[in-house]
Amino acid sequence: METTTNTAALAVDQKEVKRIVQAQRDFFATNGTKTIAFRKKQLSKLRQLIADNEDAIVEALHQDLHKHEFEAYATEIGFVMVDLDKALANLSKWAKPKKVKTPPFLFIATSYIHPDPYGNTLIIAPWNYPMQLLIAPLIGAIAAGNTAILKPSEFAPHTSALFAKLINSTFEENYIRLIEGAVDETQWLLNEKFDYIFFTGSTKVGKIVYQAAAKHLTPVTLELGGKSPCIVDNDTHLDYTAKRIIWGKFVNVGQTCIAPDYILVDQKVKAAFIEKLKYYMQQFFGDNPQESESLGRIINESHFDRIVSYLGDGDAVIGGQHDRSDKYIAPTVLDNVKEDSSVMEDEIFGPVLPIIAYGNLREAIAFINARPKPLALYMFTKNDKKVDRVIGETSSGGVCVNDTLMHIANPYLPFGGVGQSGMGAYHGYESFNTFSHQKSVLHRSFLLEEPIRYAPYNLKRNWLKKIMDWTL
Ligand code: NAD
């Protein structure tokens, strides 16, 4: 089938959504997306598109989130480039059928697992890392041989518009199409049948997506959010602990799905830890963080108001200042918070860090286990036995010991949630795997025939048992 003409027209209606989905289904049916050469060519095109437009991407991210170019490269552009290079270097190996054993009673045969593209896929992204969370899943979709429709978030309009222009002028619409829009457009898309849906966003909208997918029995990855706890043991390197937590919490001003949401600190070191936070926050952001070029801004007024409302849930021992006209909230540490206050019930998703003291590790573990399973769990300690205990006795999407966020930077570690924080995982090989169906193939020969399986049955059950036991 011919690929259809591409225009960068951005607004769509429901009919148009239907037409594009059907065009992608038709194109997939031609097998045009499946050869390794085609997939590699498309990954290279995507790489080139990003490399050629680095400055424009940095600018769009600055306009949407006031991101410093260092942060924009580290957490969005560079992050995606590493994943792209990994996919390009390894795709031939990943896509090869994997041979598995065949039991002797199936002699003569070979068995293998053939990674199969699902078909037409839908990728829905949030606004907080508007490039990374749109493009990283796309790498998996392309590498695995699928078509894709991308739906970025309406709350990062500059990044959304830029990628609409870039993607829609680089790829044919029946292969990859970016559709801009908000709830209506996403609902129109969700009404259609996809072969796979990859959603990143809130737990609330994740449930809507899961229900829509269930209507068509469409498999999903749900990359959701929640409250990621951070345990600070008394036996830790307090300076590095404070610095690494400040970095992970206030990068993108706390608007990170795996930002440490709250601190559980051993009461013996609480006062000293808060002093270290004070010292390093001043070092990182100066006396007036509003003037720091290294600090981002809250995405919009409604999130600003929500986060500011948390400031009343405790005592701001550091920060607490805010300026609505600039969507600025100072990096803030809250002491004396109540466990049933909103700041301890909602995902904070902003630069407010509550601190709660614990008496012993059992208490800290019980605190975490009494709440929904987090996306990430952080533990700062020099004591490996305590690390083993926390890993063994809690459940979370991932764990990072003695640092924050950095586990996401290792492409060899699958990234995803569990329970309320999501299902499925991606990055590196796992992105390819996520967008592939693992098709089992048994290939038998005509050289031998075993008549005993056919009717009329002449073999006693005990004999069959022996044969089957022998073959395991
Ligand atoms: P969101 O759930 O509000 O929106 C995500 C996407 O869903 C957007 O594209 C939006 O247009 C669409 N959407 C919103 N409401 C919808 C509805 N009613 N029906 C259909 N589609 C709808 O999330 P957000 O505010 O953009 O992002 C913040 C959330 O995402 C946080 O909870 C954060 O933890 C989570 N998140 C998770 C990860 C992860 O990798 N696990 C990464 C980033 C963000």
Side-chain angles (χ1 to χ4, degrees):
M1 187 192 145
E2 290 282 295
T3 51
T4 49
T5 329
N6 211 346
T7 66
L10 307 181
V12 290
D13 58 19
Q14 197 165 358
K15 243 172 90 186
E16 179 74 346
V17 164
K18 250 185 197 317
R19 189 189 62 73
I20 296 168
V21 172
Q22 189 55 49
Q24 294 207 348
R25 294 190 77 79
D26 292 345
F27 183 51
F28 182 76
T30 66
N31 294 316
T33 62
K34 291 186 182 172
T35 66
I36 302 302
F38 177 84
R39 301 185 206 182
K40 281 191 176 166
K41 191 168 163 206
Q42 308 310 316
L43 287 171
S44 298
K45 269 162 89 171
L46 181 60
R47 196 185 190 291
Q48 198 59 47
L49 169 162
I50 296 167
D52 289 348
N53 293 282
E54 218 178 279
D55 288 346
I57 297 169
V58 167
E59 181 54 29
L61 291 168
H62 191 264
Q63 284 178 307
D64 284 331
L65 286 144
H66 198 264
K67 279 194 197 202
H68 190 279
E69 64 170 338
F70 178 85
E71 217 175 282
Y73 197 84
T75 65
E76 308 243 26
I77 304 168
F79 189 98
V80 162
M81 286 303 223
V82 169
D83 233 18
L84 260 169
D85 288 340
K86 197 156 177 49
L88 275 163
N90 292 288
L91 183 56
S92 306
K93 189 173 74 196
W94 293 345
K96 265 201 187 113
K98 283 162 204 64
K99 217 167 168 246
V100 296
K101 284 187 190 169
T102 305
F105 79 89
L106 291 171
F107 189 73
I108 300 169
T110 54
S111 307
Y112 53 91
I113 298 164
H114 177 99
D116 227 8
Y118 277 104
N120 69 324
T121 69
L122 171 64
I123 294 167
I124 304 172
W127 50 262
N128 60 332
Y129 289 86
M131 174 197 179
Q132 186 211 125
L133 300 170
L134 188 70
I135 303 300
L138 177 63
I139 296 168
I142 295 175
N146 301 280
T147 66
I149 290 182
L150 304 174
K151 214 302 287 173
S153 169
E154 67 278 24
F155 292 129
H158 296 94
T159 313
S160 173
L162 176 65
F163 274 93
K165 195 176 88 192
L166 298 178
I167 293 277
N168 292 347
S169 57
T170 303
F171 298 100
E172 302 301 332
E173 71 165 12
N174 55 0
Y175 174 49
I176 296 171
R177 182 69 174 181
L178 188 149
I179 294 180
E180 288 197 274
V183 177
D184 282 351
E185 289 78 359
T186 319
Q187 296 281 1
W188 297 336
L189 284 163
L190 288 172
N191 284 337
E192 299 301 317
K193 183 180 178 336
F194 286 90
D195 294 312
Y196 202 90
I197 298 178
F198 190 105
F199 171 80
T200 307
S202 62
T203 301
K204 186 175 135 224
V205 180
K207 288 178 185 172
I208 296 172
V209 171
Y210 203 15
Q211 275 177 353
K215 276 192 214 133
H216 302 288
L217 286 179
T218 298
V220 293
T221 293
L222 300 177
E223 294 281 344
L224 310 178
K227 294 180 85 63
S228 295
C230 179
I231 302 175
V232 177
D233 183 34
N234 60 326
D235 181 15
T236 187
H237 192 305
L238 220 48
D239 287 90
Y240 289 176
T241 300
K243 285 164 84 170
R244 292 173 188 188
I245 290 173
I246 295 167
W247 174 72
K249 177 69 185 184
F250 300 114
V251 74
N252 205 23
V253 273
Q255 301 170 117
T256 303
C257 56
I258 48 170
D261 188 278
Y262 61 94
I263 306 285
L264 294 171
V265 60
D266 188 311
Q267 61 191 13
K268 295 192 271 303
V269 292
K270 181 181 161 194
F273 175 61
I274 291 179
E275 282 314 305
K276 295 287 182 198
L277 289 177
K278 249 184 215 157
Y279 175 76
Y280 286 111
M281 280 164 74
Q282 197 279 339
Q283 294 276 306
F284 290 1
F285 304 117
D287 290 328
N288 180 6
Q290 190 165 8
E291 286 168 2
S292 164
E293 268 305 308
S294 304
L295 197 69
R297 291 296 183 266
I298 306 304
I299 188 74
N300 57 33
E301 277 81 10
S302 113
H303 277 284
F304 175 90
D305 294 341
R306 179 184 61 76
I307 299 162
V308 166
S309 78
Y310 298 141
L311 297 176
D313 288 347
D315 302 328
V317 288
I318 305 171
Q321 304 80 7
H322 46 91
D323 174 355
R324 196 170 195 270
S325 66
D326 188 23
K327 288 178 280 182
Y328 163 77
I329 301 176
T332 297
V333 174
L334 278 191
D335 198 2
N336 303 320
V337 287
K338 290 210 175 69
E339 280 183 31
D340 59 355
S341 57
S342 302
V343 79
M344 285 310 299
E345 305 234 307
D346 305 346
E347 175 182 12
I348 298 170
F349 221 56
V352 176
L353 184 63
I355 298 203
I356 294 176
Y358 66 82
N360 58 50
L361 195 57
R362 185 170 40 82
E363 259 176 63
I365 290 172
F367 190 95
I368 292 165
N369 287 342
R371 289 164 174 74
K373 295 180 180 182
L375 185 56
L377 188 153
Y378 301 108
M379 167 85 182
F380 285 84
T381 184
K382 292 179 186 161
N383 184 324
D384 287 349
K385 283 208 174 93
K386 289 183 182 172
V387 170
D388 290 346
R389 193 164 161 213
V390 167
I391 292 176
E393 295 182 19
T394 61
S395 175
S396 60
V399 174
C400 182
V401 179
N402 295 337
D403 210 337
T404 59
L405 316 192
M406 280 302 190
H407 58 306
I408 202 175
N410 182 349
Y412 298 100
L413 285 174
F415 173 73
V418 59
Q420 292 255 49
S421 57
M423 60 183 72
Y426 72 134
H427 291 170
Y429 168 72
E430 205 54 37
S431 296
F432 170 83
N433 196 33
T434 284
F435 279 95
S436 304
H437 164 60
Q438 304 305 312
K439 187 158 74 183
S440 295
V441 180
L442 177 79
H443 187 153
R444 296 207 77 193
S445 149
F446 288 123
L447 286 178
L448 273 184
E449 182 67 331
E450 66 285 347
I452 57 166
R453 68 170 149 160
Y454 301 122
Y457 302 129
N458 290 318
L459 204 64
K460 292 271 185 274
R461 194 175 72 210
N462 275 349
W463 273 104
L464 184 59
K465 224 170 162 182
K466 275 189 191 130
I467 294 171
M468 292 182 81
D469 283 352
W470 168 67
T471 60
L472 285 177

